[in-house]
Amino acid sequence: MPRLDDVARAAGVSKATASRALSGADGVSPATRAKVQRVADELGFRASGAARRLATGLTRTIGVLTPSVDRWYFGSVLHGIAHAADSHEHDVLLYDLGAFGHGGHEKFERFMRRGEVDGLVTITWSLVGGDLTRLAELSIPVATVGEPTPHTRSFCLDDDAAGRQATEHLVRLGHTDLLHLASQTEVQPFDASSSDRRKRAFEAVSAEHGLRMRPVRTVPTTLEGAHAVALHFLDRPDRPTGIVAGTDEVALGVMLAAHQLGIRVPEELSVVGVDDVPSAAPFGLTTIRQDPAQHGEDVVAWIMGAMRSRGRRGGDASQPDRSHTGYAPELVVRASTAPPRP
Amino acid sequence: MPRLDDVARAAGVSKATASRALSGADGVSPATRAKVQRVADELGFRASGAARRLATGLTRTIGVLTPSVDRWYFGSVLHGIAHAADSHEHDVLLYDLGAFGHGGHEKFERFMRRGEVDGLVTITWSLVGGDLTRLAELSIPVATVGEPTPHTRSFCLDDDAAGRQATEHLVRLGHTDLLHLASQTEVQPFDASSSDRRKRAFEAVSAEHGLRMRPVRTVPTTLEGAHAVALHFLDRPDRPTGIVAGTDEVALGVMLAAHQLGIRVPEELSVVGVDDVPSAAPFGLTTIRQDPAQHGEDVVAWIMGAMRSRGRRGGDASQPDRSHTGYAPELVVRASTAPPRP
DNA sequence: CTCGAAACCGGAACCGGTTCCATTGCCAGT
DNA sequence: ACTGGCAATGGAACCGGTTCCGGTTTCGAG
């Protein structure tokens, strides 16, 4: 494996000049630069990342903290992040904190201990209170996607609008007896998780239109979990005529349960979800669409910008950007919603 | 941020001793070691990963090449990998090659160019032929999970047994007219992808029992894709009485299509899948279970072992381990299979 | 009491880049 | 012709650890 020294010698220049030539810094004549680059190519030179990081202090890596990677939303965000990071010539260091609470804290501690990233994005807050504030210890840009947060720059669906749109869609169809299924948030450091905001939007719309007030139910975020609970609360005469689910997975679980109980969707029960997962379409699920991969791309774009501004000292004094981006939801009407039976 | 030098000075020892004390190397008296460790703690010392890598040549990082991260199988494997890597104090560098063929090669090139990992696991071969052999250029342990390969150590479900078990289950129930839906493999460098092996097992069992020979159909690996095709080929009088799907997602798509066409499962159509995804249970899908997260854990365990043996020079001369681990499939019988109607 | 091995430790080289600073060469301005 | 100034370049320090090598102790065996 050739070193920079070898390239320099072969090109007849000093290590310093070779470094400048290859890194694109100026102060090198075009002729010299071309020669060095050619020689480097011929020798198959690849700069040692370790040496570069040691010298520059930059890792060209961004870290991702995620509660888990095998759920549609998280996976899609991660996909967007990976794509964007790659196009910025950055690597992605993945920290799968695992099942919530399940040793997640220890993994977080190890992450902090290594801390070899230039920027960090957390997908949802899967951290407990104490850990949250510790993130400030790393003096690197931090952003969150999936939940609005007061501590960091954040990106996610406008949950309030999403909850409203879903509920109002059913109200417009004539429903007056709705039930909201909030998906369970395992860790909930703030009083305004995504799930909460959707729930409040539901309650607000319910109140505005004088709907029957049923207490919101909290169910597991998975299809199978929601299905199991739905089998119980759907199997009674005073069930609602429509259900606003916090998530497509939940909505699909409900549709399945309804089907198994002989309740026809949408004739006897309307169901709306949020997400627009790929299987929502074939199941005919009416839902609120969001594009997590795009969120991932955007968060990386922001991180890159933030890294640049820290780069040039002076932007340092300015307040860190803790603003929030809420994406506009888009209602997708399919076959799972209809006017209630008279 | 304190440096090793600071710790050494504060502890009244040399940098060399401090390094030995903290890294656990021997040649340090217990008393000295304790003192250095205490001082390091007090100062909040964290060794610079960059410096350590430069000095040792080890990155404490393993790379993961995956075709995408938002599909159940890949996500679960990645989850297992992340967990295992963490317990070995290693980081995970993620390379999401993105949609197959879609710039995947460029991303792969960038990966090779940086190449700062101690070990590499590829989830399925999403690489084209040329790229495959280039992996040997990196002289690090490489393993694959999700497909048996001739070039590397590999881990995956015993596809032959899985295909046989699924098919034989239907045969035992009395079916004689089956259709196999192989899931599409976008890149297929070898003549024996997972999908192929399951297909051949199906054909073998079919022949052994003299079943009606229908040509195998290849369908997209997604629920929505399989659903779309199933709507066509199920909607005809001479449809089979049973379907062996290469994947649960495909099986679920078929079940959905059948339902929409008014075909009752399992009375009029039996369906078997492979995977046992979480939603297979609520849907009552009979399937062949596998545990991808376990595969991820195992592949990391192997990588760690391989790294150690390369560490001690001498094991170097020995042939690299290219063996294959096939996990035994487990049939899970649920409600989607039954004897054919007479 | 002496001698040698073994344990412990410090100095310094090294990993492979980046970057500050000094030097050189060349050209325009007066 | 002289010089201020700028572009191009080289030397060397530096980033922060690890590790080789040689020098002291220490301690048990003879």
Side-chain angles (χ1 to χ4, degrees):
Chain A
M1 190 63 49
R3 300 184 308 280
L4 181 61
D5 233 355
D6 304 324
V7 175
R9 200 170 311 115
V13 298
S14 72
K15 235 172 59 160
T17 301
S19 171
R20 283 187 281 251
L22 293 174
S23 72
D26 53 58
V28 186
S29 74
T32 309
R33 180 183 309 265
K35 171 154 199 182
V36 172
Q37 281 172 338
R38 189 167 47 72
V39 171
D41 273 355
E42 284 168 7
L43 267 54
F45 170 76
R46 290 188 299 160
S48 150
R52 177 183 295 142
R53 326 187 152 194
L54 182 55
T56 62
L58 294 174
T59 62
R60 289 169 165 278
T61 296
I62 73 177
V64 178
L65 252 46
T66 173
S68 79
V69 84
D70 51 7
R71 293 240 287 268
W72 178 78
Y73 181 80
F74 303 142
S76 300
V77 170
L78 185 52
H79 182 70
I81 290 175
H83 182 75
D86 187 79
S87 67
H88 284 272
E89 300 265 304
H90 275 244
D91 286 333
V92 173
L93 210 45
L94 178 70
Y95 283 82
D96 184 344
L97 297 180
F100 297 87
H102 210 81
H105 178 72
E106 287 71 17
K107 292 186 181 167
F108 174 75
E109 278 303 321
R110 273 204 275 278
F111 164 77
M112 290 293 289
R113 213 152 288 291
R114 309 213 202 112
E116 303 276 345
V117 294
D118 290 342
L120 177 67
V121 15
T122 68
I123 307 185
T124 310
W125 281 110
S126 49
L127 307 171
V128 290
D131 294 345
L132 272 178
T133 56
R134 304 230 3 238
L135 283 176
E137 290 178 20
L138 327 148
S139 49
I140 57 173
V142 181
T144 303
V145 24
E147 222 146 49
T149 66
H151 303 78
T152 61
R153 179 81 172 87
S154 53
F155 298 78
C156 79
L157 178 68
D158 180 340
D159 294 303
D160 182 67
R164 295 195 79 89
Q165 283 193 20
T167 314
E168 283 167 355
H169 169 63
L170 292 182
V171 169
R172 274 198 302 276
L173 287 171
H175 290 267
T176 56
D177 184 7
L178 301 178
L179 171 63
H180 180 59
L181 300 179
S183 58
Q184 207 157 35
T185 322
E186 287 83 347
V187 176
Q188 189 173 311
F190 316 121
D191 53 1
S193 71
S194 271
S195 171
D196 271 347
R197 293 163 74 122
R198 292 177 197 174
K199 171 182 132 190
R200 290 196 199 154
F202 171 85
E203 290 170 336
V205 175
S206 292
E208 287 165 19
H209 294 82
L211 307 189
R212 166 166 174 181
M213 299 303 265
R214 289 174 178 269
V216 167
R217 287 193 77 115
T218 300
V219 303
T221 322
T222 60
L223 191 156
E224 62 274 19
H227 168 258
V229 241
L231 283 178
H232 284 104
F233 66 71
L234 283 183
D235 195 18
R236 37 192 301 171
D238 68 334
R239 64 163 188 267
T241 64
I243 288 194
V244 178
T247 287
D248 277 2
E249 282 227 58
V250 170
L252 291 172
V254 169
M255 282 176 77
L256 176 59
H259 176 251
Q260 291 170 345
L261 292 170
I263 303 169
R264 303 178 59 196
V265 174
E267 293 82 356
E268 300 172 81
L269 182 72
S270 285
V271 182
V272 201
V274 174
D275 271 351
D276 197 26
V277 299
S279 53
F283 278 99
L285 174 64
T286 294
T287 189
I288 305 289
R289 176 177 297 162
Q290 66 171 327
D291 183 358
Q294 184 63 49
H295 306 183
E297 306 237 3
D298 291 348
V299 77
V300 170
W302 178 80
I303 294 250
M304 294 296 159
M307 282 172 7
R308 261 190 299 279
S309 25
R310 294 204 192 205
R312 41 177 172 77
R313 295 290 162 216
D316 220 11
S318 66
Q319 288 300 321
D321 181 3
R322 302 191 186 308
S323 64
H324 173 68
T325 297
Y327 294 92
E330 177 192 355
L331 176 68
V332 182
V333 179
R334 297 205 180 94
S336 68
T337 49
R341 263 214 303 222
Chain B
M1 189 64 49
R3 299 183 309 280
L4 180 61
D5 233 354
D6 303 325
V7 175
R9 200 170 312 118
V13 299
S14 73
K15 234 172 62 162
T17 300
S19 172
R20 282 187 281 251
L22 294 174
S23 72
D26 52 59
V28 187
S29 73
T32 309
R33 180 182 308 262
K35 168 153 200 182
V36 172
Q37 281 171 339
R38 188 167 47 72
V39 170
D41 273 356
E42 285 167 7
L43 268 55
F45 170 75
R46 290 188 298 160
S48 148
R52 177 184 294 144
R53 322 187 155 194
L54 180 56
T56 62
L58 294 174
T59 62
R60 290 169 165 277
T61 296
I62 73 177
V64 178
L65 252 46
T66 173
S68 78
V69 84
D70 52 6
R71 294 240 287 267
W72 178 78
Y73 181 79
F74 302 141
S76 301
V77 170
L78 185 52
H79 182 69
I81 290 174
H83 182 76
D86 187 80
S87 66
H88 285 272
E89 300 267 302
H90 275 243
D91 285 333
V92 173
L93 211 44
L94 178 69
Y95 282 82
D96 183 344
L97 297 179
F100 297 87
H102 209 82
H105 178 72
E106 287 72 15
K107 292 185 182 168
F108 174 74
E109 279 301 323
R110 273 204 275 276
F111 164 76
M112 292 293 289
R113 212 152 287 291
R114 312 212 199 115
E116 303 276 345
V117 294
D118 290 341
L120 177 67
V121 15
T122 68
I123 306 185
T124 311
W125 280 111
S126 49
L127 307 172
V128 290
D131 294 343
L132 272 178
T133 57
R134 305 232 0 239
L135 282 177
E137 291 177 20
L138 328 147
S139 48
I140 57 173
V142 181
T144 302
V145 24
E147 223 147 50
T149 65
H151 302 78
T152 61
R153 179 81 172 85
S154 53
F155 298 79
C156 79
L157 180 67
D158 180 340
D159 295 304
D160 181 68
R164 295 194 80 89
Q165 283 195 20
T167 314
E168 282 168 354
H169 168 63
L170 292 182
V171 169
R172 272 198 305 276
L173 287 171
H175 290 267
T176 57
D177 183 6
L178 301 177
L179 170 63
H180 180 59
L181 300 179
S183 59
Q184 207 158 34
T185 323
E186 288 82 349
V187 176
Q188 190 173 311
F190 316 120
D191 54 1
S193 71
S194 270
S195 170
D196 271 348
R197 294 163 73 121
R198 293 177 195 173
K199 171 181 133 190
R200 290 196 201 155
F202 172 85
E203 291 169 336
V205 175
S206 292
E208 287 165 18
H209 293 83
L211 307 188
R212 165 166 175 184
M213 298 303 263
R214 289 175 179 268
V216 166
R217 288 192 77 115
T218 300
V219 303
T221 321
T222 59
L223 192 156
E224 62 274 19
H227 168 259
V229 248
L231 283 177
H232 285 105
F233 67 71
L234 283 182
D235 194 19
R236 35 191 303 172
D238 69 332
R239 63 162 188 265
T241 64
I243 288 194
V244 178
T247 286
D248 277 2
E249 282 228 58
V250 170
L252 291 172
V254 169
M255 283 176 76
L256 176 60
H259 176 250
Q260 291 169 345
L261 293 170
I263 303 168
R264 303 180 57 199
V265 175
E267 293 81 356
E268 301 173 80
L269 182 72
S270 284
V271 181
V272 202
V274 175
D275 271 351
D276 196 27
V277 299
S279 53
F283 277 99
L285 175 64
T286 294
T287 189
I288 306 290
R289 176 177 298 163
Q290 66 171 328
D291 183 359
Q294 184 63 49
H295 306 183
E297 306 237 5
D298 291 349
V299 76
V300 169
W302 177 82
I303 294 250
M304 293 296 159
M307 281 173 8
R308 263 190 298 279
S309 25
R310 297 208 187 199
R312 41 176 172 77
R313 296 290 161 218
D316 220 11
S318 67
Q319 289 299 321
D321 181 2
R322 302 193 186 305
S323 64
H324 173 70
T325 296
Y327 294 93
E330 177 193 353
L331 176 68
V332 181
V333 180
R334 296 205 181 94
S336 68
T337 51
R341 266 210 305 219

Coordinates of all heavy atoms in Angstrom, one line a residue, chain B residues 231-263:
Chain B
L231 N -53.3 -11.3 -8.6 CA -54.7 -10.9 -9.0 C -55.0 -11.5 -10.4 O -56.1 -11.9 -10.7 CB -54.9 -9.4 -9.1 CG -55.1 -8.7 -7.7 CD1 -55.2 -7.2 -7.9 CD2 -56.3 -9.3 -7.0
H232 N -53.9 -11.6 -11.2 CA -54.1 -12.2 -12.6 C -54.2 -13.7 -12.6 O -55.1 -14.3 -13.0 CB -53.0 -11.7 -13.5 CG -53.2 -10.3 -13.9 ND1 -52.5 -9.2 -13.4 CD2 -54.1 -9.7 -14.7 CE1 -52.9 -8.1 -13.9 NE2 -53.9 -8.4 -14.7
F233 N -53.1 -14.3 -12.1 CA -53.0 -15.7 -12.3 C -53.9 -16.6 -11.4 O -54.1 -17.8 -11.5 CB -51.6 -16.2 -12.3 CG -50.9 -16.1 -11.0 CD1 -51.2 -17.0 -9.9 CD2 -49.9 -15.2 -10.8 CE1 -50.6 -16.9 -8.7 CE2 -49.2 -15.1 -9.6 CZ -49.6 -16.0 -8.5
L234 N -54.5 -15.9 -10.4 CA -55.4 -16.7 -9.5 C -56.9 -16.6 -10.1 O -57.7 -17.5 -9.8 CB -55.5 -16.1 -8.1 CG -54.3 -16.4 -7.2 CD1 -54.6 -15.8 -5.8 CD2 -54.1 -17.9 -7.1
D235 N -57.1 -15.7 -11.0 CA -58.4 -15.4 -11.5 C -58.8 -16.3 -12.7 O -59.1 -15.7 -13.7 CB -58.6 -13.9 -11.8 CG -60.1 -13.5 -11.9 OD1 -60.9 -14.3 -11.4 OD2 -60.3 -12.5 -12.5
R236 N -58.6 -17.6 -12.6 CA -58.9 -18.5 -13.7 C -59.2 -19.8 -13.1 O -58.7 -20.2 -12.1 CB -57.7 -18.5 -14.6 CG -56.4 -18.4 -13.9 CD -55.3 -18.2 -14.9 NE -55.3 -19.3 -15.9 CZ -54.5 -19.3 -17.0 NH1 -53.7 -18.2 -17.2 NH2 -54.5 -20.3 -17.9
P237 N -60.1 -20.5 -13.8 CA -60.6 -21.8 -13.3 C -59.6 -22.8 -13.0 O -59.7 -23.6 -12.0 CB -61.6 -22.3 -14.3 CG -61.3 -21.4 -15.5 CD -60.7 -20.2 -15.1
D238 N -58.5 -22.9 -13.8 CA -57.5 -23.9 -13.6 C -56.4 -23.5 -12.6 O -55.3 -24.0 -12.8 CB -56.9 -24.3 -14.9 CG -56.1 -23.2 -15.5 OD1 -56.3 -22.0 -15.2 OD2 -55.1 -23.5 -16.2
R239 N -56.7 -22.7 -11.7 CA -55.7 -22.3 -10.7 C -55.3 -23.5 -9.9 O -56.1 -24.5 -9.7 CB -56.2 -21.2 -9.9 CG -57.4 -21.5 -9.0 CD -57.6 -20.6 -7.9 NE -58.6 -21.1 -7.0 CZ -59.9 -20.8 -7.1 NH1 -60.3 -19.9 -8.0 NH2 -60.8 -21.3 -6.3
P240 N -54.1 -23.5 -9.3 CA -53.7 -24.6 -8.5 C -54.5 -24.6 -7.1 O -55.2 -23.7 -6.8 CB -52.2 -24.3 -8.2 CG -52.1 -22.8 -8.3 CD -53.1 -22.4 -9.4
T241 N -54.3 -25.7 -6.4 CA -55.0 -25.8 -5.1 C -54.1 -25.3 -4.0 O -54.5 -25.1 -2.9 CB -55.4 -27.2 -4.8 OG1 -54.3 -28.1 -4.7 CG2 -56.3 -27.8 -5.9
G242 N -52.8 -25.2 -4.3 CA -51.9 -24.7 -3.3 C -50.8 -23.9 -3.9 O -50.4 -24.1 -5.0
I243 N -50.3 -23.0 -3.1 CA -49.2 -22.1 -3.5 C -48.0 -22.2 -2.5 O -48.2 -22.0 -1.3 CB -49.7 -20.7 -3.7 CG1 -50.6 -20.7 -5.0 CG2 -48.5 -19.7 -3.8 CD1 -50.9 -19.3 -5.5
V244 N -46.8 -22.4 -3.1 CA -45.6 -22.4 -2.3 C -44.9 -21.1 -2.6 O -44.4 -20.9 -3.7 CB -44.7 -23.5 -2.5 CG1 -43.4 -23.4 -1.7 CG2 -45.4 -24.8 -2.2
A245 N -45.0 -20.1 -1.7 CA -44.3 -18.8 -2.0 C -42.9 -18.8 -1.5 O -42.6 -19.4 -0.4 CB -45.2 -17.7 -1.4
G246 N -42.1 -18.1 -2.2 CA -40.7 -18.1 -1.8 C -40.4 -17.2 -0.5 O -39.4 -17.2 0.1
T247 N -41.5 -16.4 -0.2 CA -41.3 -15.4 0.9 C -42.6 -15.1 1.5 O -43.7 -15.2 0.9 CB -40.8 -14.1 0.2 OG1 -39.4 -14.3 -0.1 CG2 -40.9 -13.0 1.2
D248 N -42.7 -14.8 2.8 CA -43.9 -14.4 3.4 C -44.6 -13.2 2.8 O -45.8 -13.2 2.7 CB -43.7 -14.1 4.9 CG -43.6 -15.4 5.7 OD1 -43.7 -16.5 5.1 OD2 -43.5 -15.3 7.0
E249 N -43.8 -12.3 2.4 CA -44.4 -11.1 1.8 C -45.1 -11.5 0.5 O -46.3 -11.0 0.3 CB -43.3 -10.1 1.4 CG -42.7 -9.3 2.6 CD -42.7 -7.8 2.2 OE1 -43.7 -7.3 1.8 OE2 -41.6 -7.3 2.3
V250 N -44.6 -12.4 -0.2 CA -45.3 -12.9 -1.4 C -46.5 -13.6 -1.0 O -47.6 -13.4 -1.6 CB -44.3 -13.8 -2.3 CG1 -45.1 -14.5 -3.4 CG2 -43.2 -12.9 -2.8
A251 N -46.4 -14.5 0.0 CA -47.5 -15.3 0.4 C -48.6 -14.4 0.9 O -49.8 -14.7 0.5 CB -47.1 -16.2 1.5
L252 N -48.3 -13.4 1.6 CA -49.3 -12.5 2.1 C -50.0 -11.7 1.0 O -51.2 -11.5 1.0 CB -48.8 -11.5 3.1 CG -48.3 -12.1 4.5 CD1 -47.6 -11.1 5.3 CD2 -49.5 -12.7 5.2
G253 N -49.2 -11.4 0.0 CA -49.8 -10.7 -1.2 C -50.8 -11.6 -1.9 O -51.9 -11.2 -2.4
V254 N -50.4 -12.9 -2.0 CA -51.3 -13.9 -2.6 C -52.6 -14.1 -1.8 O -53.7 -14.1 -2.4 CB -50.6 -15.2 -2.7 CG1 -51.5 -16.3 -3.1 CG2 -49.4 -15.1 -3.7
M255 N -52.4 -14.2 -0.5 CA -53.6 -14.3 0.4 C -54.6 -13.2 0.2 O -55.8 -13.3 0.1 CB -53.2 -14.4 1.8 CG -52.7 -15.8 2.2 SD -52.1 -15.8 3.9 CE -53.7 -15.9 4.8
L256 N -54.0 -12.0 0.1 CA -54.8 -10.8 -0.1 C -55.5 -10.8 -1.4 O -56.8 -10.6 -1.5 CB -53.9 -9.5 0.0 CG -54.7 -8.2 -0.2 CD1 -55.8 -8.0 0.8 CD2 -53.7 -7.1 -0.1
A257 N -54.8 -11.2 -2.4 CA -55.4 -11.2 -3.8 C -56.5 -12.3 -3.8 O -57.6 -12.0 -4.3 CB -54.3 -11.6 -4.8
A258 N -56.2 -13.4 -3.2 CA -57.2 -14.5 -3.2 C -58.5 -14.0 -2.5 O -59.6 -14.1 -3.0 CB -56.7 -15.7 -2.4
H259 N -58.3 -13.3 -1.4 CA -59.5 -12.8 -0.6 C -60.3 -11.8 -1.5 O -61.5 -11.9 -1.5 CB -59.0 -12.1 0.6 CG -60.1 -11.4 1.4 ND1 -60.2 -10.1 1.5 CD2 -61.1 -12.0 2.1 CE1 -61.3 -9.8 2.2 NE2 -61.8 -10.9 2.6
Q260 N -59.5 -11.0 -2.2 CA -60.3 -10.0 -3.0 C -61.0 -10.6 -4.2 O -61.9 -10.1 -4.7 CB -59.3 -8.9 -3.5 CG -58.8 -8.0 -2.3 CD -57.6 -7.1 -2.7 OE1 -57.0 -7.4 -3.7 NE2 -57.3 -6.2 -1.9
L261 N -60.5 -11.8 -4.6 CA -61.1 -12.5 -5.7 C -62.2 -13.4 -5.2 O -62.8 -14.2 -6.0 CB -60.1 -13.3 -6.5 CG -59.0 -12.4 -7.2 CD1 -57.9 -13.3 -7.8 CD2 -59.7 -11.7 -8.4
G262 N -62.4 -13.4 -3.9 CA -63.5 -14.3 -3.4 C -63.0 -15.8 -3.3 O -63.9 -16.7 -3.2
I263 N -61.7 -16.0 -3.3 CA -61.2 -17.4 -3.2 C -60.9 -17.6 -1.7 O -60.2 -16.8 -1.1 CB -59.9 -17.6 -4.0 CG1 -60.2 -17.2 -5.5 CG2 -59.4 -19.0 -3.8 CD1 -59.0 -17.1 -6.3

